[in-house]
Amino acid sequence: MPPKPPGGSRRSCPTRVVPELGPGEVWWAELDPGRGREQSGRRPVLVIASAEYLRAVTTLAIVVPVTTVDRGWPNHINLGDCGLPRPSWAMTEQPRTLSRERLVGQAGRVDRETLAEVRSWLRDFLED
């Protein structure tokens, strides 16, 4: 390990500016490294966190990955006209908390009804 500089602290590396987010926004994210069946690579994600959470926790985002593969699963919610170039589905079985530094550009937004349907599936997965 390199020695500490005078004054006892190490210089921190510059970080990217973290974006401001809103619920229902679709962003491109860098999800590597992935493990097992997790989605990985550069792909769109849907922000599912509440506005209050996003205001309070300014460095993280709760998202679900988005896929262009229609598996016909009822918990994969079609995002409609959300700003992506191809038909896309939210993968509600894979919620994930990400550093906002992984978000590289906004693609669009879903409507309120779509976000509510995604959140409904999340509640079903979490409640007994």
PDB file of all heavy atoms in Angstrom, residues 30-41 96 102:
ATOM      1  N   GLU A  30     -24.403   1.164 -16.720  1.00  0.00           N
ATOM      2  CA  GLU A  30     -23.293   0.209 -16.842  1.00  0.00           C
ATOM      3  C   GLU A  30     -23.427  -0.773 -15.683  1.00  0.00           C
ATOM      4  O   GLU A  30     -23.121  -0.435 -14.550  1.00  0.00           O
ATOM      5  CB  GLU A  30     -21.948   0.942 -16.777  1.00  0.00           C
ATOM      6  CG  GLU A  30     -21.725   1.934 -17.898  1.00  0.00           C
ATOM      7  CD  GLU A  30     -21.497   1.282 -19.254  1.00  0.00           C
ATOM      8  OE1 GLU A  30     -21.257   0.059 -19.315  1.00  0.00           O
ATOM      9  OE2 GLU A  30     -21.573   2.002 -20.263  1.00  0.00           O
ATOM     10  N   LEU A  31     -23.907  -1.990 -15.957  1.00  0.00           N
ATOM     11  CA  LEU A  31     -24.222  -2.952 -14.899  1.00  0.00           C
ATOM     12  C   LEU A  31     -23.117  -3.960 -14.629  1.00  0.00           C
ATOM     13  O   LEU A  31     -23.281  -4.839 -13.778  1.00  0.00           O
ATOM     14  CB  LEU A  31     -25.526  -3.686 -15.228  1.00  0.00           C
ATOM     15  CG  LEU A  31     -26.766  -2.801 -15.337  1.00  0.00           C
ATOM     16  CD1 LEU A  31     -27.985  -3.637 -15.674  1.00  0.00           C
ATOM     17  CD2 LEU A  31     -26.983  -2.016 -14.060  1.00  0.00           C
ATOM     18  N   ASP A  32     -22.003  -3.871 -15.338  1.00  0.00           N
ATOM     19  CA  ASP A  32     -20.899  -4.799 -15.067  1.00  0.00           C
ATOM     20  C   ASP A  32     -20.208  -4.411 -13.769  1.00  0.00           C
ATOM     21  O   ASP A  32     -20.120  -3.225 -13.457  1.00  0.00           O
ATOM     22  CB  ASP A  32     -19.884  -4.773 -16.215  1.00  0.00           C
ATOM     23  CG  ASP A  32     -20.387  -5.534 -17.416  1.00  0.00           C
ATOM     24  OD1 ASP A  32     -21.254  -6.404 -17.245  1.00  0.00           O
ATOM     25  OD2 ASP A  32     -19.914  -5.258 -18.532  1.00  0.00           O
ATOM     26  N   PRO A  33     -19.701  -5.353 -13.025  1.00  0.00           N
ATOM     27  CA  PRO A  33     -19.749  -6.786 -13.303  1.00  0.00           C
ATOM     28  C   PRO A  33     -21.057  -7.392 -12.807  1.00  0.00           C
ATOM     29  O   PRO A  33     -21.556  -7.034 -11.747  1.00  0.00           O
ATOM     30  CB  PRO A  33     -18.579  -7.351 -12.499  1.00  0.00           C
ATOM     31  CG  PRO A  33     -18.453  -6.429 -11.326  1.00  0.00           C
ATOM     32  CD  PRO A  33     -18.891  -5.061 -11.837  1.00  0.00           C
ATOM     33  N   GLY A  34     -21.618  -8.290 -13.587  1.00  0.00           N
ATOM     34  CA  GLY A  34     -22.800  -9.035 -13.177  1.00  0.00           C
ATOM     35  C   GLY A  34     -22.377 -10.397 -12.651  1.00  0.00           C
ATOM     36  O   GLY A  34     -21.276 -10.874 -12.933  1.00  0.00           O
ATOM     37  N   ARG A  35     -23.232 -11.018 -11.897  1.00  0.00           N
ATOM     38  CA  ARG A  35     -22.974 -12.355 -11.364  1.00  0.00           C
ATOM     39  C   ARG A  35     -24.180 -13.233 -11.650  1.00  0.00           C
ATOM     40  O   ARG A  35     -25.325 -12.771 -11.572  1.00  0.00           O
ATOM     41  CB  ARG A  35     -22.742 -12.317  -9.848  1.00  0.00           C
ATOM     42  CG  ARG A  35     -21.550 -11.511  -9.417  1.00  0.00           C
ATOM     43  CD  ARG A  35     -20.245 -12.257  -9.730  1.00  0.00           C
ATOM     44  NE  ARG A  35     -19.085 -11.561  -9.244  1.00  0.00           N
ATOM     45  CZ  ARG A  35     -18.380 -10.697  -9.969  1.00  0.00           C
ATOM     46  NH1 ARG A  35     -18.722 -10.423 -11.196  1.00  0.00           N
ATOM     47  NH2 ARG A  35     -17.324 -10.111  -9.446  1.00  0.00           N
ATOM     48  N   GLY A  36     -23.935 -14.512 -11.917  1.00  0.00           N
ATOM     49  CA  GLY A  36     -25.021 -15.460 -12.110  1.00  0.00           C
ATOM     50  C   GLY A  36     -26.000 -15.008 -13.172  1.00  0.00           C
ATOM     51  O   GLY A  36     -25.614 -14.678 -14.287  1.00  0.00           O
ATOM     52  N   ARG A  37     -27.283 -14.936 -12.821  1.00  0.00           N
ATOM     53  CA  ARG A  37     -28.343 -14.569 -13.768  1.00  0.00           C
ATOM     54  C   ARG A  37     -28.644 -13.071 -13.781  1.00  0.00           C
ATOM     55  O   ARG A  37     -29.610 -12.641 -14.407  1.00  0.00           O
ATOM     56  CB  ARG A  37     -29.620 -15.349 -13.450  1.00  0.00           C
ATOM     57  CG  ARG A  37     -29.476 -16.846 -13.441  1.00  0.00           C
ATOM     58  CD  ARG A  37     -29.803 -17.553 -14.699  1.00  0.00           C
ATOM     59  NE  ARG A  37     -31.067 -17.119 -15.257  1.00  0.00           N
ATOM     60  CZ  ARG A  37     -31.353 -17.222 -16.536  1.00  0.00           C
ATOM     61  NH1 ARG A  37     -30.499 -17.744 -17.366  1.00  0.00           N
ATOM     62  NH2 ARG A  37     -32.504 -16.814 -16.992  1.00  0.00           N
ATOM     63  N   GLU A  38     -27.828 -12.266 -13.082  1.00  0.00           N
ATOM     64  CA  GLU A  38     -28.037 -10.814 -13.105  1.00  0.00           C
ATOM     65  C   GLU A  38     -27.825 -10.276 -14.515  1.00  0.00           C
ATOM     66  O   GLU A  38     -26.972 -10.763 -15.257  1.00  0.00           O
ATOM     67  CB  GLU A  38     -27.033 -10.105 -12.187  1.00  0.00           C
ATOM     68  CG  GLU A  38     -27.212 -10.351 -10.730  1.00  0.00           C
ATOM     69  CD  GLU A  38     -26.125  -9.683  -9.914  1.00  0.00           C
ATOM     70  OE1 GLU A  38     -25.072  -9.309 -10.457  1.00  0.00           O
ATOM     71  OE2 GLU A  38     -26.334  -9.560  -8.705  1.00  0.00           O
ATOM     72  N   GLN A  39     -28.588  -9.250 -14.851  1.00  0.00           N
ATOM     73  CA  GLN A  39     -28.360  -8.542 -16.103  1.00  0.00           C
ATOM     74  C   GLN A  39     -27.032  -7.798 -15.983  1.00  0.00           C
ATOM     75  O   GLN A  39     -26.684  -7.304 -14.913  1.00  0.00           O
ATOM     76  CB  GLN A  39     -29.498  -7.563 -16.376  1.00  0.00           C
ATOM     77  CG  GLN A  39     -30.821  -8.249 -16.612  1.00  0.00           C
ATOM     78  CD  GLN A  39     -30.791  -9.101 -17.864  1.00  0.00           C
ATOM     79  OE1 GLN A  39     -30.563  -8.620 -18.951  1.00  0.00           O
ATOM     80  NE2 GLN A  39     -31.011 -10.398 -17.708  1.00  0.00           N
ATOM     81  N   SER A  40     -26.292  -7.721 -17.075  1.00  0.00           N
ATOM     82  CA  SER A  40     -25.002  -7.043 -17.036  1.00  0.00           C
ATOM     83  C   SER A  40     -24.796  -6.279 -18.336  1.00  0.00           C
ATOM     84  O   SER A  40     -25.622  -6.314 -19.229  1.00  0.00           O
ATOM     85  CB  SER A  40     -23.876  -8.064 -16.817  1.00  0.00           C
ATOM     86  OG  SER A  40     -23.872  -9.007 -17.851  1.00  0.00           O
ATOM     87  N   GLY A  41     -23.674  -5.574 -18.404  1.00  0.00           N
ATOM     88  CA  GLY A  41     -23.362  -4.780 -19.580  1.00  0.00           C
ATOM     89  C   GLY A  41     -24.051  -3.430 -19.540  1.00  0.00           C
ATOM     90  O   GLY A  41     -24.611  -3.011 -18.527  1.00  0.00           O
ATOM     91  N   ARG A  96     -32.692  -3.774  -8.126  1.00  0.00           N
ATOM     92  CA  ARG A  96     -31.274  -3.620  -7.792  1.00  0.00           C
ATOM     93  C   ARG A  96     -31.012  -2.185  -7.355  1.00  0.00           C
ATOM     94  O   ARG A  96     -31.570  -1.247  -7.923  1.00  0.00           O
ATOM     95  CB  ARG A  96     -30.470  -3.949  -9.050  1.00  0.00           C
ATOM     96  CG  ARG A  96     -28.996  -4.005  -8.872  1.00  0.00           C
ATOM     97  CD  ARG A  96     -28.370  -4.630 -10.104  1.00  0.00           C
ATOM     98  NE  ARG A  96     -26.934  -4.508 -10.060  1.00  0.00           N
ATOM     99  CZ  ARG A  96     -26.125  -4.881 -11.015  1.00  0.00           C
ATOM    100  NH1 ARG A  96     -26.603  -5.411 -12.122  1.00  0.00           N
ATOM    101  NH2 ARG A  96     -24.829  -4.737 -10.902  1.00  0.00           N
ATOM    102  N   ARG A 102     -23.196   4.760 -12.060  1.00  0.00           N
ATOM    103  CA  ARG A 102     -23.378   3.769 -13.124  1.00  0.00           C
ATOM    104  C   ARG A 102     -24.332   4.259 -14.222  1.00  0.00           C
ATOM    105  O   ARG A 102     -24.412   3.661 -15.281  1.00  0.00           O
ATOM    106  CB  ARG A 102     -23.926   2.461 -12.558  1.00  0.00           C
ATOM    107  CG  ARG A 102     -22.936   1.678 -11.722  1.00  0.00           C
ATOM    108  CD  ARG A 102     -23.582   0.384 -11.264  1.00  0.00           C
ATOM    109  NE  ARG A 102     -22.698  -0.473 -10.527  1.00  0.00           N
ATOM    110  CZ  ARG A 102     -21.900  -1.392 -11.081  1.00  0.00           C
ATOM    111  NH1 ARG A 102     -21.885  -1.552 -12.380  1.00  0.00           N
ATOM    112  NH2 ARG A 102     -21.138  -2.138 -10.325  1.00  0.00           N
TER     113      ARG A 102
END
